[in-house]
Amino acid sequence: MNHSSLDHVLPAKEHIQALPLFQSLPAEKIHLIQTLEHCQRIEPELKSAALLGFDSESKPTFKKGEAATGPHLIQLATQDCAYLFQVSPEILEFLKPVFASRQQIKAGFGLKNDAHLFRKKGLELNSAVELSKCFKAFGLDNPVGLKNAMALLFRVNFPKSKSVSTSNWSKKHLSPQQIAYAAADAYAPVLVFEELRRLGLLPQEILNSARNLRGLPSQTKPASDA
């Protein structure tokens, strides 16, 4: 593909607001996981996925000197399902081999902070793809956030609610809004990765890694119902 022929430009904020809303996974495809027994039930499908969208959420800190204790929620997604893990010592132990695996790509946005939090919890993060830095072919040298990436690639408005993002993620009972928000933040990176791969715009080192992985899906699902 001739990258110089790309005619995409990053839409302005007001244009993004007018775009069709992103259609995320339906509620029945979102699994809230609170116990090791639930982890074990979804283990075969989770560990067989070659590509996982990835994000995490933490209870925000508002007071000076207040220690961060996150992550409190870890999200992983395939093209079919999202798995929201409410963090406990047993669940972290279950997730260790998934994050340490070099045979599973973990794709997301703003992973530097996630990696820092994970190190503090004793989790090693391998085969992680920082998607925000994969838009240089569009003439965008600065990191691109998830909302802008979805507008650029799919012409959809990916909603980002500040009230939800800064809510208490350590609660045992998450709200439907929190669950939907968290699932979308892990599911959308799967679509972005696959679309960049389809366009031939992933950096070569990532493409080389992807070629060594079996089972990567070949095409994205529609990102909107428009």
Side-chain angles (χ1 to χ4, degrees), residues 75-112:
Q75 306 104 276
L76 292 169
T78 66
Q79 280 207 341
D80 300 310
C81 294
Y83 306 97
L84 313 183
F85 297 88
Q86 292 192 289
V87 171
S88 68
E90 295 82 10
I91 286 178
L92 284 179
E93 193 65 29
F94 169 80
L95 289 173
K96 272 186 179 181
V98 175
F99 286 107
S101 173
R102 299 186 184 275
Q103 303 306 312
Q104 290 182 287
I105 287 178
K106 277 72 69 172
F109 288 78
L111 299 185
K112 184 177 180 180

Side-chain angles (χ1 to χ4, degrees), residues 27 39 53 68 70 77 80 143 146-147 173 180 182 188 218:
C39 289
D80 300 310
L146 178 53
K147 186 179 184 72
H173 300 290
S218 59

Side-chain angles (χ1 to χ4, degrees), residues 38-141:
H38 197 171
C39 289
Q40 291 165 345
R41 288 201 297 272
I42 58 94
E43 184 172 10
E45 55 200 84
L46 180 69
K47 292 189 176 180
S48 65
L51 170 64
L52 293 165
F54 162 53
D55 196 22
S56 71
E57 306 292 347
S58 300
K59 177 184 176 182
T61 56
F62 296 109
K63 297 178 182 178
K64 186 177 180 180
E66 185 180 357
T69 57
H72 297 101
L73 188 75
I74 295 174
Q75 306 104 276
L76 292 169
T78 66
Q79 280 207 341
D80 300 310
C81 294
Y83 306 97
L84 313 183
F85 297 88
Q86 292 192 289
V87 171
S88 68
E90 295 82 10
I91 286 178
L92 284 179
E93 193 65 29
F94 169 80
L95 289 173
K96 272 186 179 181
V98 175
F99 286 107
S101 173
R102 299 186 184 275
Q103 303 306 312
Q104 290 182 287
I105 287 178
K106 277 72 69 172
F109 288 78
L111 299 185
K112 184 177 180 180
N113 185 56
D114 294 284
H116 173 69
L117 292 174
F118 276 34
R119 281 194 297 271
K120 291 171 65 175
K121 296 288 187 181
L123 271 70
E124 184 180 9
L125 184 57
N126 291 321
S127 295
V129 175
E130 177 55 66
L131 291 170
S132 68
K133 299 179 180 179
C134 295
F135 290 83
K136 294 186 183 297
F138 292 91
L140 302 170
D141 292 328

